[in-house]
Amino acid sequence: MDPNSNKNNQNKNNKPNRYLRGVLTLIAWALVFVVGFNYLNAYTGNASNKSTSYEVKYSEFIDMVERNQVADVEFKDNTVYATPVDGYVYTDKDGKTHTQTEKTKITLYTTQLNDKDLLPLLNEHHVDYTSPYKAKMSPVLEFMVAYILPTIVMVGLFMLLIRFISKSGGGIGGIGNVGKSNAKVYMEKSTGVTFKDVAGQDEAKESLEEIIDFLHNPQKYTAIGAKLPKGALLVGSPGTGKTLLAKAVAGEANVPFFSISGSDFVEMFVGVGASRVRDLFKEAAKVAPCIIFIDEIDTIGKTRDSGRFGGNDEREQTLNQLLAELDGFDPGKGIIVLGATNRPEVLDKALLRPGRFDRRITVDRPNLAGRLATLQVHTRNIHLAEDVNLEKIAQATAGCVGADLANLVNEAALRAVRKGRKAVNQNDLLAAFEVVIAGSEKKGTVITQEEKRIIAYHEVGHALVAAKQKNAQPVSKITIVPHTQGALGYTLHLPEEEKFLMSREDILAEIRTLLAGRSSEEIVCNTMTSGAANDIERATELARNLVARFGMSDEFDMMALGTVQNQYLDGTYSMSCAQETYAAADRATIQIIRQCHEEAKQILRDNRELLDKIAAYLLKKETITGQEMMAIIEGRDPETVDNYGATKEGDQPLFRPSVPDVIEAPAKHINIVSEPIPMPDFDEKGEEQSEEQPEETNE
């Protein structure tokens, strides 16, 4: 006999026994719950009856009937229940008085006796009496309804619960954690961010420093009667450092920091978001003083729409709960709510009123000093070469936010590693800036000689018209090298100083500069290409803003024809005027574009000789700086100019072929043989061809 087979048989026999034992256990527990529930129900029923019913003697009951103090009588279960008339005062055994009124009714009961004179007495004193009809039920059926049926239901519920627990891996987190808050908690400086890590936002930091001081020294403010602001709303464009500022506040205050996104509140189930809001503020109250940071608060804080179907919308319930919590907590405990959004125009007015978000802190794009400070923060751990001048990089990166500058520094470090250097130089920073705005160079693009000529005149047209206007931004770089973001070439304009206002002359000069590329194609090449598509789009937007938003049109004077939709995102706006006015605005826009187009062509005709000289130099070098272009205009040597402090690197070989026959056709490398051969090294051959190419160009 095999002992293993005996064990297997025993296990097989034990399985039904275990299952039966489990079912019996469930039934036993269900019976216990049902019996306990029935007894509890009976006890609570008796207790509730005793709280409003009082026992009297039968003789007292007869005396009350004779004194006309009984309103009605009910005979039930060998007991007489009497309801006194309004105003009757009953005194119990403890000496307490109970008055019969409509709101506080009392019932007096006594044992029913075999009294034949009772009914005539009730009729004589006009007392209503009745005995409720009760249908007779079989004792077996009554037992089944009271005990058997609830037991079956209870066993079924237990089995469903056990099956659910087994499927969820032994836990009921799928149910218990639905309403739990998903906020991350950073305790005491573990955010790792302080105000030293935030630069370029001095105004926002100054507004938040008072909140930090209140968390450290609340008695200084409460002594004069001041209250801590309950919340502050951080508003700004993406990448300006709103989340970083919130973490810095928690790091400076040395208090717990709850960080949660607005999308974490909204779930498929209605009411879950409101439950998570309650849980978040409950947890924050336990560790107060603390800071609650809600990122992208516009997800749940949008204006409530009255056109929705009822008030059961999940987002609306979450917002209502958030409003209630902001009103409910005590500001003296030190709970501060920080919200961040780049869409303040869609937020509900009830959320923005004082008493909830008391302060609105704008986190704007940094100015020149702010960009310099931001670059210094991001380059603290970067090895910089001696020629690095961060002031000129800050000047070149006008309009960039903190995230752009951080990306720029990182791209410069990566470029230095690719070039085999151990430190980042000025060229790396400038090249990284161009990678951020235009993408990296596309080295495999084949451009014909005619296309290179058109692209060169197109870009030089932009640069020359900008140089010949007083209100235009100076040119920093001109290139006809294709880039990964779709540009076959570009002209980079960088302002010499910070400008926060644009005059009508500035806008018209910008439109002329944008249209100068197409104008140069028309004058020199007698053609029009699709390369001016982006220029035309931007010029049209500027001309339409001049007419519809800035009030600089003689026809419409200072009438606003549109409203801005997303101030801190794309800045788009929608027209809010009549169709006739819209058509007239289009005609005024076309007139401005046509006039600027003619003026740009006239500037190029008057400077045709310079246009040809700069284009020839650009075709030779493929990338030139604005200083080199100005040297050609002024008759100086373009090789001796400065480029934002960058040292000149070795001449790079021209890798873009001008004729297709430079790259051999793939068919020339196909050989039909009986055994495989290694593929030729195209890269090595391409480098040899690229070294030979400049000699052909010089010729």
Side-chain angles (χ1 to χ4, degrees), residues 463-592:
L464 186 58
V465 170
K468 290 298 180 179
Q469 296 183 101
K470 293 182 180 180
N471 300 92
Q473 294 181 354
V475 178
S476 174
K477 183 177 180 179
I478 312 171
T479 180
I480 57 175
V481 178
H483 284 68
T484 55
Q485 293 188 8
L488 294 175
Y490 65 87
T491 302
L492 182 62
H493 301 266
L494 296 178
E496 292 181 344
E497 58 183 6
E498 292 285 333
K499 293 188 69 174
F500 301 97
L501 295 174
M502 289 186 68
S503 64
R504 189 174 192 274
E505 292 74 18
D506 293 338
I507 298 175
L508 293 176
E510 181 69 17
I511 296 175
R512 294 188 199 102
T513 303
L514 290 169
L515 299 178
R518 169 62 65 81
S519 303
S520 180
E521 294 176 4
E522 294 173 346
I523 292 174
V524 179
C525 305
N526 296 320
T527 186
M528 298 180 184
T529 67
S530 61
N534 183 255
D535 301 331
I536 295 172
E537 182 180 348
R538 292 166 57 194
T540 304
E541 183 181 358
L542 281 173
R544 193 178 299 279
N545 287 338
L546 188 147
V547 173
R549 289 183 58 197
F550 303 148
M552 298 178 181
S553 173
D554 296 335
E555 182 176 356
F556 299 101
D557 199 17
M558 289 187 293
M559 177 183 178
L561 306 181
T563 55
V564 178
Q565 298 294 327
N566 299 316
Q567 178 183 358
Y568 296 102
L569 292 178
D570 52 3
T572 58
Y573 66 98
S574 60
M575 300 293 287
S576 56
C577 58
Q579 292 295 330
E580 295 80 3
T581 309
Y582 203 158
D586 283 341
R587 288 192 293 271
T589 303
I590 294 172
Q591 183 180 357
I592 292 173

Side-chain angles (χ1 to χ4, degrees), residues 18-327:
R18 292 175 183 173
Y19 182 79
L20 180 61
R21 191 181 306 162
V23 172
L24 292 176
T25 303
L26 284 178
I27 294 174
W29 278 108
L31 281 172
V32 170
F33 279 109
V34 170
V35 172
F37 176 79
N38 286 333
Y39 275 101
L40 181 63
N41 188 26
Y43 176 79
T44 54
N46 294 332
S48 62
N49 290 334
K50 289 180 179 179
S51 61
T52 58
S53 301
Y54 306 95
E55 184 179 4
V56 296
K57 296 180 180 180
Y58 188 81
S59 58
E60 293 179 0
F61 164 68
I62 296 298
D63 291 339
M64 289 177 60
V65 174
E66 292 176 350
R67 290 195 298 267
N68 296 324
Q69 294 178 341
V70 177
D72 57 76
V73 174
E74 181 180 359
F75 300 93
K76 184 173 66 174
D77 298 331
N78 295 325
T79 305
V80 180
Y81 294 90
T83 303
V85 296
D86 292 341
Y88 174 78
V89 179
Y90 173 76
T91 304
D92 58 12
K93 298 178 180 179
D94 299 331
K96 296 181 180 179
T97 59
H98 306 278
T99 304
Q100 170 73 11
T101 61
E102 293 183 358
K103 295 183 179 180
T104 59
K105 294 185 177 181
I106 61 177
T107 302
L108 305 177
Y109 64 93
T110 184
T111 304
Q112 183 178 356
L113 301 178
N114 190 10
D115 187 1
K116 297 179 181 181
D117 299 329
L118 178 60
L119 295 181
L121 181 63
L122 295 176
N123 291 328
E124 179 181 355
H125 292 275
H126 306 289
V127 178
D128 297 334
Y129 56 91
T130 185
S131 177
Y133 172 77
K134 184 177 181 182
K136 293 183 179 180
M137 181 182 295
S138 172
V140 177
L141 182 60
E142 186 176 359
F143 178 80
M144 292 182 63
V145 171
Y147 294 93
I148 302 301
L149 184 60
T151 302
I152 295 174
V153 173
M154 195 75 69
V155 170
L157 291 176
F158 279 155
M159 295 184 70
L160 287 176
L161 181 61
I162 292 173
R163 180 173 297 181
F164 180 82
I165 292 175
S166 62
K167 286 185 177 180
S168 61
I172 56 173
I175 296 178
N177 292 334
V178 166
K180 285 285 185 179
S181 170
N182 295 328
K184 298 178 182 177
V185 182
Y186 302 91
M187 301 296 292
E188 302 240 348
K189 275 194 176 180
S190 60
T191 57
V193 181
T194 62
F195 278 160
K196 295 180 181 179
D197 303 308
V198 182
Q201 301 295 341
D202 295 335
E203 294 82 4
K205 288 162 62 174
E206 183 179 353
S207 300
L208 294 171
E209 281 175 354
E210 189 175 19
I211 296 177
I212 296 172
D213 188 35
F214 191 99
L215 292 174
H216 285 163
N217 306 303
Q219 64 278 0
K220 183 170 66 174
Y221 296 88
T222 55
I224 200 174
K227 294 182 179 180
L228 175 68
K230 287 188 176 181
L233 187 65
L234 303 175
V235 178
S237 302
T240 50
K242 299 184 291 296
T243 305
L244 191 67
L245 267 173
K247 289 186 178 180
V249 171
E252 291 284 344
N254 296 336
V255 296
F257 178 64
F258 292 81
S259 177
I260 191 169
S261 176
S263 60
D264 291 336
F265 290 109
V266 182
E267 291 286 351
M268 179 180 66
F269 306 103
V270 176
V272 172
S275 175
R276 288 183 175 174
V277 171
R278 288 192 295 270
D279 181 72
L280 174 62
F281 280 86
K282 185 186 298 183
E283 294 296 326
K286 295 178 182 178
V287 294
C290 64
I291 294 174
I292 299 175
F293 176 61
I294 305 176
D295 199 5
E296 305 298 341
I297 197 173
D298 53 276
T299 306
I300 59 173
K302 290 183 181 178
T303 302
R304 287 166 287 188
D305 188 4
S306 59
R308 294 184 179 272
F309 300 101
N312 291 326
D313 180 54
E314 165 67 359
R315 183 189 58 78
E316 186 171 323
Q317 286 195 13
T318 306
L319 174 59
N320 292 336
Q321 186 62 43
L322 179 61
L323 296 176
E325 292 292 342
L326 287 174
D327 282 338

Side-chain angles (χ1 to χ4, degrees), residues 206-471:
E206 183 179 353
S207 300
L208 294 171
E209 281 175 354
E210 189 175 19
I211 296 177
I212 296 172
D213 188 35
F214 191 99
L215 292 174
H216 285 163
N217 306 303
Q219 64 278 0
K220 183 170 66 174
Y221 296 88
T222 55
I224 200 174
K227 294 182 179 180
L228 175 68
K230 287 188 176 181
L233 187 65
L234 303 175
V235 178
S237 302
T240 50
K242 299 184 291 296
T243 305
L244 191 67
L245 267 173
K247 289 186 178 180
V249 171
E252 291 284 344
N254 296 336
V255 296
F257 178 64
F258 292 81
S259 177
I260 191 169
S261 176
S263 60
D264 291 336
F265 290 109
V266 182
E267 291 286 351
M268 179 180 66
F269 306 103
V270 176
V272 172
S275 175
R276 288 183 175 174
V277 171
R278 288 192 295 270
D279 181 72
L280 174 62
F281 280 86
K282 185 186 298 183
E283 294 296 326
K286 295 178 182 178
V287 294
C290 64
I291 294 174
I292 299 175
F293 176 61
I294 305 176
D295 199 5
E296 305 298 341
I297 197 173
D298 53 276
T299 306
I300 59 173
K302 290 183 181 178
T303 302
R304 287 166 287 188
D305 188 4
S306 59
R308 294 184 179 272
F309 300 101
N312 291 326
D313 180 54
E314 165 67 359
R315 183 189 58 78
E316 186 171 323
Q317 286 195 13
T318 306
L319 174 59
N320 292 336
Q321 186 62 43
L322 179 61
L323 296 176
E325 292 292 342
L326 287 174
D327 282 338
F329 69 84
D330 182 12
K333 292 182 178 180
I335 300 178
I336 299 175
V337 182
L338 298 179
T341 182
N342 43 40
R343 301 179 62 194
E345 66 277 354
V346 304
L347 293 179
D348 195 275
K349 300 301 181 184
L351 190 64
L352 298 178
R353 74 161 176 81
R356 287 179 176 138
F357 282 103
D358 300 292
R359 293 188 177 182
R360 180 166 174 171
I361 301 172
T362 301
V363 187
D364 209 347
R365 296 177 181 270
N367 54 14
L368 179 60
R371 292 195 300 274
L372 176 59
T374 304
L375 286 170
Q376 291 172 347
V377 168
H378 291 304
T379 55
R380 284 186 304 196
N381 300 324
I382 303 293
H383 298 286
L384 301 178
E386 295 180 356
D387 66 334
V388 170
N389 189 341
L390 294 180
E391 293 183 1
K392 293 188 176 182
I393 298 297
Q395 180 182 352
T397 54
C400 291
V401 296
D404 295 330
L405 299 177
N407 190 22
L408 184 150
V409 172
N410 187 61
E411 289 289 341
L414 296 176
R415 184 178 187 270
V417 174
R418 287 197 301 269
K419 296 292 183 180
R421 292 191 294 269
K422 295 183 178 179
V424 175
N425 60 22
Q426 191 80 350
N427 278 327
D428 294 329
L429 292 169
L430 290 173
F433 173 61
E434 295 171 17
V435 169
V436 171
I437 63 172
S440 57
E441 296 179 349
K442 295 175 66 175
K443 299 184 179 182
T445 304
V446 177
I447 301 178
T448 63
Q449 187 69 28
E450 181 63 23
E451 286 179 334
K452 286 178 65 175
R453 181 171 176 268
I454 294 174
I455 296 171
Y457 274 100
H458 180 103
E459 300 301 337
V460 173
H462 288 308
L464 186 58
V465 170
K468 290 298 180 179
Q469 296 183 101
K470 293 182 180 180
N471 300 92

